[in-house]
């Protein structure tokens, strides 16, 4: 397994190095790369819970918890960058353990509605809590001076590391259990596995990553507000995943990058911007059920056959 992973690992390291070289000093390109990387991480976090067959709209709430934890740690408590980042992940993960333990006995649309409600309740708490800025949000969430000019490379590096971590977990025995739960949780229970606990741990891993995504978002924007973490954040993640493809973690990467770039064009639609994302989901489900990743695999399988047919005709 080591040899097949060598090329992707080298490519990942090269991507981080390239980001460090080309994105020094900030600018529009650096801002776009930051936004792309954070969207990729949020989508990957959202996708991880689909391994158990659930749509977790609470991901927006956990991104918000991570962002506000980073804001409090940096602005109010003057924590160093790494401590604020770690605290954001742990805080979101711990809250998700409680949330998941209570709610993950529900399935399908019931869990989706509960997760949606959780996100909106958390958002309302932000608006009513003056200690964290209320509806105005928090300002002054700046990364440390030693990261000036290097924040995009650091964000890309963290995102790549977490993507690899999620992939390794998915391919581990624990990940296989999660997929088995999605297929038939009753069969998994018959072999003595605690299905409910496995689901809770799956949500905790996802939320841990979402908390880091929220912290990176806070440090990148320097300003956060409750409106940044509404349910639309999860809708965007769902759109990215459907367009990219759910079958592989690269689907989260491809979908987030493609739709984020196209979304820059959709901004010109004004209030109709959200129709763009809804249409993307519908078109993907109808025409590309496997997403762009599925289309790529199909073309990859067809290429040898087409080449062989052309050769025989020649």
């Amino acid at each position: 397994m080591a040899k097949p992973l060598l090329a992707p690992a080298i490519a990942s390291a090269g991507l981080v190095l390239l980001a460090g070289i080309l994105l020094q000093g900030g600018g529009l390109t650096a801002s776009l790369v930051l936004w792309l990387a954070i969207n990729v991480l949020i989508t990957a976090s959202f996708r991880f819970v689909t391994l158990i067959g659930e749509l977790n709209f609470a991901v927006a709430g956990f991104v918000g918890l991570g962002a506000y934890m980073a804001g409090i740690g940096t602005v109010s408590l003057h924590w160093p960058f790494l401590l604020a980042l770690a605290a954001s992940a742990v805080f979101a993960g711990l809250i998700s353990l409680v949330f998941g333990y209570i709610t993950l006995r529900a399935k399908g649309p019931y869990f989706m509605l509960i997760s949606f409600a959780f996100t909106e309740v958390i958002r309302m708490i932000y608006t009513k809590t003056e200690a964290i800025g209320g509806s105005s949000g928090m300002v002054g969430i700046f990364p440390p001076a030693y990261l000036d000019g290097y924040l995009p490379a650091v964000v890309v590096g963290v995102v790549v590391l977490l993507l690899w971590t999620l992939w390794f977990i998915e391919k581990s025995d624990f990940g296989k259990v999660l997929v088995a739960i999605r297929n038939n949780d009753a069969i998994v229970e018959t072999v003595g596995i605690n299905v409910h606990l496995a689901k809770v741990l799956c949500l905790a891993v996802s939320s841990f990553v979402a908390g880091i995504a929220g912290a990176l978002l806070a440090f990148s924007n320097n300003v956060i507000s409750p409106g940044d973490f509404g349910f639309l954040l999860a809708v965007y993640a769902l759109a990215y995943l459907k367009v990219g493809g759910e079958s592989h973690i690269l689907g989260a990467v491809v979908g987030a990058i493609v739709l984020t770039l196209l979304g820059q064009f959709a901004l010109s639609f004004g209030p109709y911007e959200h129709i763009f994302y809804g249409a993307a989901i519908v078109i993907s489900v109808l025409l590309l059920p496997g997403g762009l990743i599925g289309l790529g695999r199909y073309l990859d399988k067809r290429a040898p056959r087409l080449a062989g047919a052309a050769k025989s005709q020649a």
Side-chain angles (χ1 to χ4, degrees), residues 72-97:
I72 293 170
T74 302
V75 176
S76 302
L77 303 177
H78 307 292
W79 286 347
F81 175 77
L82 290 178
L83 179 58
L85 201 64
S88 298
V90 171
F91 181 60
L94 290 176
I95 296 297
S96 74
L97 287 174

Side-chain angles (χ1 to χ4, degrees), residues 41-314:
L41 191 58
I42 293 172
T43 307
S45 171
F46 182 89
R47 177 187 175 273
F48 194 77
V49 180
T50 66
L51 295 180
I52 59 172
E54 303 294 348
L55 293 179
N56 177 31
F57 278 77
V59 68
F62 293 118
V63 171
L65 289 173
Y68 272 94
M69 188 71 248
I72 293 170
T74 302
V75 176
S76 302
L77 303 177
H78 307 292
W79 286 347
F81 175 77
L82 290 178
L83 179 58
L85 201 64
S88 298
V90 171
F91 181 60
L94 290 176
I95 296 297
S96 74
L97 287 174
V98 178
F99 171 76
Y101 185 81
I102 296 171
T103 63
L104 274 171
R105 297 189 186 280
K107 299 179 181 179
Y110 301 104
F111 176 75
M112 184 179 69
L113 289 173
I114 293 170
S115 63
F116 167 83
F118 172 82
T119 291
E120 290 304 294
V121 168
I122 293 294
R123 185 179 65 81
M124 291 301 297
I125 291 174
Y126 299 150
T127 63
K128 300 298 182 182
T129 308
E130 293 300 326
I132 55 175
S135 57
S136 299
M138 298 186 70
V139 299
I141 310 172
F142 295 106
Y146 60 81
L147 288 182
D148 285 348
Y150 295 99
L151 183 63
V154 170
V155 170
V156 170
V158 171
V159 169
V160 169
L161 177 62
L162 290 174
L163 289 176
W164 275 103
T165 301
L166 288 176
W167 188 84
F168 278 116
I169 294 174
E170 181 179 343
K171 295 301 179 182
S172 69
D173 291 340
F174 176 65
K176 293 174 183 177
V177 168
L178 299 180
V179 174
I181 290 173
R182 179 182 62 196
N183 294 335
N184 193 323
D185 57 356
I187 293 178
V188 177
E189 284 184 336
T190 61
V191 298
I193 295 175
N194 189 328
V195 169
H196 182 62
L197 178 60
K199 288 182 176 181
V200 172
L201 291 177
C202 175
L203 181 65
V205 171
S206 169
S207 302
F208 184 92
V209 173
I212 293 179
L216 295 176
L217 177 63
F219 284 117
S220 300
N221 291 347
N222 310 133
V223 178
I224 56 174
S225 65
D228 297 332
F229 310 109
F231 76 95
L232 282 175
L233 184 65
V235 172
Y236 293 155
L238 176 60
Y240 300 154
L241 187 59
K242 288 297 183 181
V243 170
E246 302 176 60
S247 61
H248 196 280
I249 194 170
L250 285 179
V253 178
V254 173
I257 291 175
V258 169
L259 274 192
T260 300
L261 293 176
L262 290 177
Q264 298 301 305
F265 170 74
L267 290 174
S268 61
F269 298 164
Y272 300 102
E273 175 193 356
H274 304 314
I275 297 177
F276 171 81
Y277 289 98
I281 295 175
V282 173
I283 292 172
S284 297
V285 170
L286 293 178
L287 302 181
L288 295 173
L292 294 174
I293 289 293
L295 177 62
R297 287 177 172 174
Y298 173 77
L299 294 176
D300 185 55
K301 290 179 180 178
R302 290 281 296 174
R305 297 178 185 175
L306 293 175
K311 186 176 180 180
S312 62
Q313 290 178 359

